[in-house]
Amino acid sequence: MIIFFSILFIYLVNPNTALADDYQNALDTVPKGLKWSDDDFKKAGFEGNSATIVNSNNPESPDTSVIKVTNGLYQVGGIWSNANNYNYFDIDHDQTASMWLYFGHDKATGGDGMYPGDGMAFVIQNDPRTTDAHSTGTITNKDKSTTKVVPGNGETLGVWGTDWDTKETEPTNIAKNAIQNSVAIEFDTFMDRMTNFNDISGEGVSFDVGTYGQKDTHHIAANYPGEASTYIHHSVTDPTKTVTDPTKKVQNTETNTTKAIDTAKATDSTKEDGTKNYFSLLHLAYTSNINLVDSKWHHLTIHWTKATYNQVSGKMMGKLTYYYDDKNPDGTATNTSKVSTMGVDISKFNTTDGKLHWGFTGATGRYTENNLIAFESLPSFVDAEAQTTIHNDTANKEVPADGHVDTQDKITYNYDLKYIGWTRTWSDIKAKMQIPANMTFSSGEVTYANGLSETIPSSAFSDPQYINYTLQQHLDKDNRTAKISLHGQAAKTSTNQLTVPTAHAHFDGDNLITDTDTTSFIIDPRSITLKSSTPDIIKINKNDSVDIPAQVDYLGNESTKPDYTKMTVYQKINDQDYVPLTTPIAADGSFTLHLDNSQLNESSTPISFYVKDPDDSVGQTNTLSRMIQIGGTVAFGEVSNKVSFKNIYWTSRNQLVPRLDKWNINVIDSRDKGSSWSVQAQASNLINTNKQHTLYGNLVYRENPDSQAIDLTNNVHIASHTKNSDNIETNNIASQWTDQSGILLALNNSNQTSRSGNYTGTINWTLLDSIDNA
């Protein structure tokens, strides 16, 4: 008992022990983030700024810079992007920032209790103070002889106006103390809900008064810190005083309504000190019932959508969207992401060039916590994305989510890295790709937009869990894409379906870290399988016939092995039906499929074949497909025959609408090294056939997010490529497109009212077997 009480005593008189332990936990567990130069960010230049830059202690996250915003009582921290070093938020373009946030322990020690507080805020601003911007408040000494302007702490989070004067009634005066020309997303870890007369202390204790759930303790919300409309005025009367004017009205603090005073307990506000005034915040994009403070890192993605004209408000409105907890610490996607969007009137920023400072502020008061940040991407440095597709090489088709493949099918995983912008290169990209259960990989390569390629060494495939490889080239505006292709095989199974689960891939470069996950699919069992060592496209000379060697294998027990010689080969040429052949199959399952030259088309001939057991005791094999090409050809492969764009609204004017879902425009080239091809596209008008309306807009092509959109009314050059090897190549020219590039829908300035419905048109693709000089 003596030992127990001694330990308790030490803990109570050393309130920072829990905070220090929690800080150590944060640095020991921080996920991988970027390491950046001190010139990339600047501490806000006010006295006592608690923000500092430290390094990760996690051996799994080396070279990760961490911003410690607060870690003690009554602190204010602020750090801003350095626009002079090209670190800014450009509201004239879509922008994305991603990061990891840490809000401390749920029992971080406060001055008079064990509570965390108060939180942090993400801020985009054009305050005249630039990187010195912060909220302010005025304090007066005891004899009221002097006043001093200090940073706003506590519920202001360093960004909102200070509510420190109980006589203040004007929201405009509160807004003046905030960061100006800004929008903020707050991550509030302490609910300030004081409404009683004696609790209104002039310290700012009521910003969260309102209609939100009384059980809420943490929340995320957004608004304009420098706008008077953000702050709602309330007043409360001293219950010990009486009212001399029974017609006087007082405001209801919870509903922001007024009611007549009809009791003797209400305050006569005409008497000195009989009324106290306070303010609450108008919370937009509000998310509640979340736990911010749990000694864990939480992922945040901020996406800005550039402004378009809103006909209802008559203003140019952008969109600020946050995705909270959209990733686990290992980078895998979650299914519990909190998403909310705020429409932003860009005139509030008062900017002429669209380039704004961005950063984080944080504050504490009577309670404290460790507030830390580790960045994954900075919006003006590099914007890039990673996407995945899975291709069944045996069946020569894409594998959709939850799709099916046959046992031992050859499968290729494709990881498409796309550089979107902005001011820096994405270099030293380390790829870490998980190997999912029931798949094996044996080879791979990387191909770049500039036409160069590199082979992934065999040593990268020795680890049974991950394939690690560092790309040899960087991505930038002149080399925007890298396609990593991993070639493997589905597992062997003869009786039960097998699931290939999702697999995570992590891409860690100098100016961006991003993740993606492959989809899951099913391996169907087969008792007998068919394989051939021939390539997907078989090139022959003119007038030659072709022989395709193949092998049937039985996957069951040797004692139940069927008689291969009794099985039948079925063949399909062009679009004909499958027909049985008299091709003999040897006792070991081998056979040769022969096609005479007279059966072949002039340039290319598609054929498919499988083997079937006549008594159906073991069923039939998988189907193999091959293309017989005379002299080598270039041709379209799979081209999506039905594509669409995202829904639009009648207020949508003068904007580019992104594509919906994945588009496939595949070009297959079996010609020799040095051969070239190019693709053109031309699009018709989009018409609502029911109402005979033509859409006030048209399809356009945009090479990259920085280039001019070109009308597709006439043929437009879309893509070109020159082979750098004699291997057969399949290129999907749409795989390099983003939401801001490729074929897009351009809306003009005409009113779309009364023209709702579905609009359709046609895209005509032209493939030229040379470089297009047009």
Side-chain angles (χ1 to χ4, degrees):
M1 292 295 292
I2 293 174
I3 295 174
F4 170 76
F5 284 116
S6 297
I7 293 173
L8 179 62
F9 175 76
I10 292 171
Y11 181 73
L12 290 177
V13 300
N14 291 279
N16 290 325
T17 300
L19 200 64
D21 290 345
D22 179 70
Y23 175 66
Q24 190 63 43
N25 172 70
L27 294 185
D28 289 346
T29 61
V30 59
K32 185 67 176 73
L34 297 177
K35 182 177 179 61
W36 27 264
S37 165
D38 291 343
D39 292 335
D40 294 331
F41 288 89
K42 296 187 68 175
K43 289 180 60 174
F46 57 85
E47 183 179 354
N49 187 348
S50 59
T52 58
I53 300 172
V54 297
N55 294 317
S56 162
N57 289 338
N58 186 354
E60 299 296 323
S61 304
D63 299 323
T64 296
S65 299
V66 179
I67 299 174
K68 180 175 66 175
V69 181
T70 64
N71 70 329
L73 299 173
Y74 293 99
Q75 287 185 341
V76 183
I79 192 163
W80 298 110
S81 62
N82 184 3
N84 292 331
N85 202 26
Y86 301 101
N87 187 3
Y88 50 77
F89 212 95
D90 189 347
I91 62 170
D92 291 336
H93 295 87
D94 290 357
Q95 300 272 267
T96 299
S98 63
M99 63 219 69
W100 293 97
L101 305 179
Y102 189 91
F103 300 97
H105 194 281
D106 60 357
K107 295 189 184 303
T109 304
D112 53 4
M114 301 289 286
Y115 298 99
D118 282 81
M120 293 187 287
F122 170 84
V123 189
I124 306 171
Q125 52 95 353
N126 188 35
D127 191 293
R129 295 168 292 179
T130 63
T131 55
D132 289 335
H134 60 92
S135 62
T136 59
T138 302
I139 58 174
T140 306
N141 64 356
K142 290 184 178 180
D143 62 7
K144 299 183 179 181
S145 61
T146 61
T147 60
K148 181 181 181 181
V149 177
V150 297
N153 61 14
E155 69 176 9
T156 72
L157 303 183
V159 63
W160 308 110
T162 48
D163 180 21
W164 290 355
D165 184 355
T166 60
K167 294 183 179 180
E168 181 60 68
T169 61
E170 293 298 326
T172 301
N173 292 329
I174 304 297
K176 287 179 181 178
N177 295 327
I179 294 178
Q180 302 298 296
N181 306 325
S182 66
V183 65
I185 301 174
E186 69 168 13
F187 302 85
D188 196 330
T189 61
F190 186 88
M191 295 296 277
D192 293 284
R193 287 181 163 169
M194 298 299 185
T195 59
N196 294 328
F197 183 86
N198 291 332
D199 293 329
I200 305 303
S201 58
E203 296 177 276
V205 292
S206 308
F207 271 5
D208 299 315
V209 168
T211 59
Y212 311 110
Q214 292 300 313
K215 294 183 179 180
D216 288 354
T217 55
H218 311 152
H219 63 267
I220 306 173
N223 213 323
Y224 307 104
E227 293 294 313
S229 59
T230 299
Y231 306 92
I232 303 171
H233 171 250
H234 306 269
S235 63
V236 62
T237 56
D238 185 348
T240 65
K241 296 184 179 294
T242 59
V243 176
T244 59
D245 182 1
T247 64
K248 191 166 183 62
K249 295 183 178 182
V250 65
Q251 191 173 39
N252 183 308
T253 60
E254 287 296 323
T255 62
N256 200 29
T257 60
T258 58
K259 63 179 181 180
I261 297 175
D262 55 6
T263 70
K265 293 184 178 180
T267 302
D268 180 357
S269 62
T270 62
K271 294 185 178 181
E272 186 178 0
D273 296 327
T275 299
K276 290 182 179 180
N277 299 282
Y278 63 93
F279 289 83
S280 63
L281 283 182
L282 175 61
H283 291 88
L284 304 179
Y286 186 80
T287 297
S288 60
N289 298 319
I290 56 175
N291 188 18
L292 300 175
V293 186
D294 55 5
S295 295
K296 296 179 181 179
W297 287 89
H298 296 268
H299 193 264
L300 174 72
T301 300
I302 302 284
H303 183 69
W304 168 262
T305 304
K306 69 177 182 180
T308 58
Y309 179 76
N310 184 287
Q311 190 167 348
V312 175
S313 65
K315 300 176 180 179
M316 293 295 291
M317 299 292 293
K319 289 193 298 184
L320 189 63
T321 303
Y322 63 80
Y323 306 81
Y324 179 77
D325 268 347
D326 54 332
K327 280 186 189 180
N328 296 307
D330 64 0
T332 57
T334 69
N335 55 8
T336 58
S337 175
K338 303 292 186 180
V339 183
S340 193
T341 297
M342 173 185 171
V344 178
D345 176 4
I346 63 171
S347 68
K348 303 292 186 185
F349 294 123
N350 193 28
T351 177
T352 57
D353 64 2
K355 295 179 173 60
L356 309 179
H357 292 283
W358 70 278
F360 273 87
T361 63
T364 63
R366 289 184 294 164
Y367 309 108
T368 188
E369 66 194 24
N370 289 303
N371 284 322
L372 300 103
I373 309 160
F375 292 112
E376 274 192 334
S377 69
L378 307 179
S380 67
F381 282 8
V382 169
D383 187 8
E385 62 185 17
Q387 296 178 341
T388 63
T389 57
I390 302 174
H391 189 264
N392 187 334
D393 301 329
T394 300
N396 194 24
K397 62 181 181 182
E398 297 292 320
V399 180
D402 299 321
H404 290 251
V405 304
D406 282 322
T407 180
Q408 296 187 307
D409 274 357
K410 294 179 180 179
I411 306 294
T412 294
Y413 277 50
N414 294 308
Y415 301 86
D416 291 305
L417 307 184
K418 305 175 186 179
Y419 177 94
I420 301 171
W422 293 98
T423 62
R424 300 192 180 184
T425 62
W426 190 19
S427 307
D428 193 29
I429 304 172
K430 300 177 180 65
K432 183 178 182 180
M433 297 158 288
Q434 183 182 19
I435 301 173
N438 300 315
M439 276 295 303
T440 57
F441 295 98
S442 57
S443 65
E445 70 278 342
V446 184
T447 54
Y448 298 94
N450 60 17
L452 300 178
S453 63
E454 62 206 33
T455 300
I456 299 176
S458 57
S459 58
F461 298 90
S462 59
D463 189 318
Q465 293 183 309
Y466 294 95
I467 297 170
N468 292 280
Y469 181 71
T470 300
L471 275 64
Q472 302 303 299
Q473 296 194 42
H474 62 255
L475 301 185
D476 57 19
K477 293 182 179 180
D478 298 320
N479 187 31
R480 288 184 176 269
T481 64
K483 182 178 184 177
I484 305 173
S485 297
L486 304 179
H487 306 295
Q489 189 173 42
K492 171 182 175 180
T493 178
S494 60
T495 56
N496 300 317
Q497 280 190 337
L498 298 177
T499 298
V500 177
T502 62
H504 181 65
H506 180 76
F507 303 96
D508 181 357
D510 58 351
N511 287 309
L512 178 85
I513 297 172
T514 190
D515 299 87
T516 188
D517 295 285
T518 63
T519 56
S520 175
F521 60 91
I522 305 297
I523 302 175
D524 290 326
R526 286 192 182 275
S527 294
I528 52 174
T529 62
L530 180 62
K531 61 185 178 181
S532 173
S533 59
T534 55
D536 292 338
I537 298 178
I538 302 173
K539 294 189 290 185
I540 62 172
N541 295 322
K542 190 174 182 180
N543 300 321
D544 282 352
S545 298
V546 63
D547 289 321
I548 303 175
Q551 175 72 46
V552 181
D553 285 327
Y554 177 61
L555 302 183
N557 295 327
E558 186 68 22
S559 61
T560 58
K561 184 176 180 179
D563 186 351
Y564 295 135
T565 63
K566 295 182 179 180
M567 295 182 179
T568 303
V569 179
Y570 287 77
Q571 174 186 279
K572 174 184 178 181
I573 299 178
N574 295 315
D575 294 327
Q576 301 170 3
D577 294 330
Y578 281 99
V579 295
L581 303 178
T582 58
T583 301
I585 301 177
D588 64 357
S590 62
F591 68 93
T592 299
L593 182 68
H594 177 78
L595 288 99
D596 190 81
N597 179 261
S598 61
Q599 296 176 278
L600 304 179
N601 301 328
E602 184 175 344
S603 57
S604 61
T605 307
I607 70 151
S608 300
F609 61 102
Y610 64 86
V611 174
K612 186 176 181 181
D613 180 14
D615 60 14
D616 208 27
S617 61
V618 292
Q620 71 180 50
T621 68
N622 52 293
T623 300
L624 294 183
S625 297
R626 297 292 186 265
M627 181 71 74
I628 313 301
Q629 291 190 346
I630 299 175
T633 62
V634 59
F636 281 121
E638 179 186 1
V639 176
S640 300
N641 58 10
K642 186 177 182 180
V643 294
S644 55
F645 295 85
K646 293 183 179 179
N647 289 334
I648 60 176
Y649 302 92
W650 69 270
T651 54
S652 300
R653 300 161 74 177
N654 287 339
Q655 65 170 286
L656 294 178
V657 181
R659 298 171 304 282
L660 190 64
D661 302 324
K662 178 188 175 184
W663 288 27
N664 289 311
I665 305 101
N666 287 320
V667 177
I668 303 174
D669 193 350
S670 62
R671 298 171 301 167
D672 296 333
K673 177 180 178 180
S675 300
S676 301
W677 54 262
S678 59
V679 171
Q680 298 176 347
Q682 179 269 333
S684 67
N685 290 331
L686 298 175
I687 298 173
N688 184 327
T689 55
N690 291 332
K691 298 181 180 180
Q692 295 300 307
H693 287 163
T694 299
L695 187 73
Y696 293 144
N698 55 281
L699 299 189
V700 298
Y701 174 71
R702 196 181 193 188
E703 184 177 2
N704 60 66
D706 302 319
S707 62
Q708 186 71 28
I710 305 174
D711 192 326
L712 291 182
T713 301
N714 299 309
N715 267 330
V716 172
H717 173 83
I718 300 296
S720 60
H721 179 69
T722 299
K723 293 189 66 180
N724 58 8
S725 74
D726 291 324
N727 297 329
I728 298 170
E729 294 181 347
T730 300
N731 288 286
N732 181 6
I733 63 175
S735 67
Q736 302 178 12
W737 298 348
T738 70
D739 280 354
Q740 296 297 311
S741 66
I743 291 183
L744 304 168
L745 173 58
L747 302 178
N748 62 26
N749 196 36
S750 300
N751 196 325
Q752 309 282 344
T753 307
S754 302
R755 288 181 174 260
S756 63
N758 294 320
Y759 290 76
T760 60
T762 301
I763 301 175
N764 293 311
W765 301 98
T766 302
L767 175 62
L768 306 175
D769 63 352
S770 62
I771 295 296
D772 178 19
N773 294 319

